[in-house]
Amino acid sequence: RPGHGQASRAAPRVFVLDPGHGGTDPGKINDRLGISEKTLTLDVARRAQRLLEADGHRVLLTRDDDSFVALPQRAAAARAAKADVFVSIHFNAVPRDNRTSGVEVYTFAPRFQRSTNAWGGGERDDTEDFASPVNRHDHWSVVLAHAVHRRFVNDLKSADRGKKLMHLAVLRPLDCPGVLVECGFLSSDAEARKISTPAHRQQLATVIAAGVRDYANTLARTRGK
């Protein structure tokens, strides 16, 4: 019998893409190149939306302009749309470090598990002994994370910084599988220069869309057994 969160799911029909930040919240900024996370995430989300809609899927964005949307409202929009998949799109940065690059894919930490960073020396144990709404979908969130992560690493040859756990506010209230993708580092001059080009952002959108398709195909195979 399937375990908690592992029951067979219907094939996804509604995909929600969440462009991180927006409005008064610019996110990460690379001043040298004059680029901000909020602009880049929206562009990648729109590109991924077009790719998935071309396949006949219904795809919604949590914001479609440069507006501020509070984190609870993003999850609420996904619930209202009866979303089957939620992908939050972000870019990373490390203070005083212009070399670190690569992709990180996050899922919400399961009940009784620390976030990945909490295992570091001197870090606080952030284990939660209660389940959040998104924890009902832990199994399928991991399947989604693996599908998206694999596309970044295999297709785009992104430096692999792993699949990680975190108690992320944007994922916590979800009623569907969800992941947060850090698509690259704006603090890396070399990677930021690539991200600043429309061609590379199209590649980012392509691997995100491909990962979501792979997830959908995995569900279809599961239902076919």
Side-chain angles (χ1 to χ4, degrees):
R1 188 170 64 87
H4 175 71
Q6 296 186 41
S8 177
R9 300 182 63 87
R13 298 170 293 107
V14 182
F15 301 119
V16 172
L17 302 178
D18 173 45
H21 307 279
T24 55
D25 175 14
K28 308 296 190 301
I29 297 174
N30 184 308
D31 289 321
R32 291 179 296 278
L33 296 176
I35 54 177
S36 64
E37 184 178 7
K38 69 174 183 176
T39 303
L40 300 168
T41 58
L42 180 57
D43 184 67
V44 171
R46 284 172 171 167
R47 291 171 184 273
Q49 179 184 33
R50 288 194 289 270
L51 291 169
L52 290 167
E53 285 179 340
D55 294 338
H57 300 296
R58 183 181 178 212
V59 185
L60 304 175
L61 303 186
T62 57
R63 66 178 180 93
D64 195 23
D65 56 22
D66 183 19
S67 58
F68 174 79
V69 180
L71 297 181
Q73 290 177 310
R74 295 169 189 252
R79 290 197 304 271
K82 294 181 168 49
D84 300 293
V85 173
F86 182 92
V87 179
S88 190
I89 300 170
H90 289 257
F91 290 93
N92 221 330
V94 179
R96 298 176 296 281
D97 178 348
N98 64 6
R99 293 186 178 182
T100 298
S101 64
V103 60
E104 298 176 346
V105 181
Y106 286 86
T107 53
F108 194 85
R111 185 183 183 189
F112 303 128
Q113 288 193 35
R114 296 186 186 193
S115 63
T116 302
N117 290 344
W119 287 103
E123 295 294 331
R124 179 182 64 87
D125 181 349
D126 64 353
T127 301
E128 295 181 348
D129 61 2
F130 57 89
S132 292
V134 73
N135 286 133
R136 293 195 298 268
H137 310 281
D138 281 346
H139 172 78
W140 292 108
S141 290
V142 170
V143 174
L144 174 61
H146 179 70
V148 174
H149 176 265
R150 182 176 55 206
R151 286 290 185 171
F152 268 86
V153 173
N154 290 352
D155 297 2
L156 202 54
K157 307 303 181 188
S158 297
D160 183 4
R161 291 183 52 81
K163 298 186 292 294
K164 301 182 177 183
L165 305 175
M166 188 179 288
H167 296 104
L168 290 161
V170 72
L171 301 182
R172 185 185 293 276
L174 290 176
D175 191 26
C176 67
V179 299
L180 184 147
V181 185
E182 296 279 6
C183 298
F185 281 75
L186 297 187
S187 51
S188 162
D189 285 343
E191 191 160 56
R193 276 194 293 271
K194 289 196 299 183
I195 294 167
S196 70
T197 67
H200 188 73
R201 294 197 298 276
Q202 185 66 30
Q203 290 180 316
L204 294 174
T206 297
V207 294
I208 290 171
V212 171
R213 287 192 204 101
D214 291 344
Y215 169 78
N217 290 336
T218 296
L219 281 177
R221 289 195 297 271
T222 300
R223 286 172 54 81
K225 290 181 179 178

